[in-house]
Amino acid sequence: MQLRIFTEPQMGATYDDLLAVARRTEETGFDAFFRSDHYLTMGGDGLPGPTDAWLTLAGLARETSRIRLGTLMTAGTFRLPGPLAISVAQVDQMSGGRVELGIGAGWFEREHTAYGIPFPSLGERFDRFEEQLAIISGLWGTPPGETFDFTGQHYRVSGSPALPKPVQDGGIPILVGGGGKKRTPRLAARYAAEFNVPFMSAEDNARLFGGVREACDEAGRDPSSLVCSSALVLCVGKDEAEIARRAAAIGREVDELRAHGVAGTPAEAVDVLGRYAEAGAQRVYLQVLDLADLDHLDLVASEVAPQL
């Protein structure tokens, strides 16, 4: 099982904070550094304010050398599909081919109203999301020298040179995720390299992984070609005192974290991750909320990761 570090910088972080976590992620052997794409905190004052996801990843592309970089998830409501395809492909070039695009329909209405971003109905957001996936993958997949066209209900692309191109072999992996029963697995089966289940039980993960495998079968795709992953909050300590300190630092209760996250001692964390592996998770995104506690990453890298 691959372990990836996942951050929520809208809760309060500078670029330098994220750089420190990304560098420790690389130094300690984790597979990737991912960040959310939000413009408004979900708790606290959020100071010093939000950082843009793709600006951040562009910087990290030049200041790291091994880890993969991506979003979990970019909100489709934030950006037009063509400019987003350009930005992500450029960051892929800047990183030497280490970028992945997690993208969703967008869900947090208050951040849209706070920054003047339109927030359509759920149905329209999903309709737009489906067209965005078609456009982004179409632009990246158009052979050099040819043009790309697309006509949808919400977006039209005409005579696009479809540049720049990603540099990594096989193109930029697209991640789609969530708990939807119909459209989400269908879109993942059609467009995604990876399907992610955020913050749910191992049993829910197994059920949703089964659903997306069925969608692959229906689409004529080999289900084994789609990576299945989970996202879970992280709170691991050497002893009860350290676990409690880390839980308090992120405003959570230890018992709740043990019930719903990768929490407890390193041995407990290994057991939890084992249950998710049995459910079908090939990767787990460990949500790190206290970005100043780099020792947390060291502990997981030295005492949890080697056991998986």
Side-chain angles (χ1 to χ4, degrees), residues 123-124 127-128 131 135 150-156 183:
E124 182 177 333
D127 291 342
R128 288 178 175 273
E131 291 186 17
I135 292 168
F150 177 88
T151 300
Q153 182 180 356
H154 300 285
Y155 303 105
R156 181 184 178 191
R183 293 190 76 174

Side-chain angles (χ1 to χ4, degrees):
M1 173 182 282
Q2 290 180 333
L3 297 182
R4 295 181 158 190
I5 299 302
F6 168 47
T7 62
E8 300 270 9
Q10 76 278 358
M11 305 302 286
T14 65
Y15 172 77
D16 286 339
D17 294 329
L18 296 170
L19 175 59
V21 176
R23 283 177 168 165
R24 189 64 63 90
T25 297
E26 185 159 88
E27 292 164 0
T28 49
F30 290 101
D31 178 65
F33 172 93
F34 271 58
R35 60 156 292 163
S36 61
D37 190 2
H38 284 293
Y39 291 142
L40 200 67
T41 183
M42 289 85 169
D45 57 23
L47 292 174
T51 50
D52 183 85
W54 287 100
L55 283 176
T56 297
L57 294 173
L60 296 179
R62 310 301 284 183
E63 300 196 77
T64 60
S65 61
R66 178 188 61 79
I67 51 173
R68 298 191 66 78
L69 303 165
T71 49
L72 204 66
M73 302 282 189
T74 281
T77 46
F78 287 177
R79 302 168 181 88
L80 296 171
L84 178 60
I86 290 171
S87 295
V88 179
Q90 181 180 356
V91 178
D92 192 53
Q93 293 177 354
M94 293 170 69
S95 70
R98 294 183 285 125
V99 160
E100 303 183 15
L101 171 63
I103 184 169
W107 63 270
F108 189 21
E109 184 174 6
R110 280 204 301 124
E111 69 185 340
H112 293 74
T113 57
Y115 287 97
I117 304 169
F119 189 73
S121 67
L122 178 61
E124 182 177 333
R125 294 200 307 277
F126 260 90
D127 291 342
R128 288 178 175 273
F129 176 42
E130 184 164 1
E131 291 186 17
Q132 287 170 321
L133 288 169
I135 292 168
I136 292 168
S137 59
L139 289 169
W140 289 342
T142 298
E146 297 185 15
T147 59
F148 175 74
D149 298 277
F150 177 88
T151 300
Q153 182 180 356
H154 300 285
Y155 303 105
R156 181 184 178 191
V157 179
S158 179
S160 173
L163 298 172
K165 298 298 185 191
V167 298
Q168 60 185 295
D169 292 340
I172 295 171
I174 293 175
L175 288 71
V176 169
K181 296 180 180 179
K182 295 182 179 180
R183 293 190 76 174
T184 300
R186 179 174 61 82
L187 291 175
R190 183 172 181 182
Y191 294 108
E194 180 174 336
F195 175 71
N196 180 264
V197 178
F199 311 111
M200 297 186 191
S201 68
E203 294 75 18
D204 286 336
N205 274 250
R207 173 178 56 81
L208 291 165
F209 293 155
V212 79
R213 286 193 292 269
E214 290 178 4
C216 286
D217 285 333
E218 292 171 0
R221 175 179 178 178
D222 179 0
S224 67
S225 68
L226 183 71
V227 174
C228 290
S229 65
S230 309
L232 294 163
V233 65
L234 180 71
C235 183
V236 176
K238 295 188 295 292
D239 51 37
E240 292 301 320
E242 189 167 81
I243 297 165
R245 174 177 64 78
R246 289 197 162 119
I250 60 174
R252 304 280 285 270
E253 297 294 328
V254 172
D255 290 345
E256 181 265 329
L257 288 167
R258 276 191 160 114
H260 301 292
V262 179
T265 63
E268 287 179 283
V270 170
D271 287 342
V272 170
L273 292 166
R275 292 199 297 273
Y276 280 84
E278 291 174 0
Q282 297 158 275
R283 293 174 180 153
V284 172
Y285 294 79
L286 301 172
Q287 184 194 46
V288 176
L289 295 175
D290 183 359
L291 301 186
D293 186 4
L294 299 181
D295 291 343
H296 199 182
L297 276 66
D298 294 344
L299 177 65
V300 175
S302 62
E303 298 194 27
V304 176
Q307 307 304 315
L308 300 175

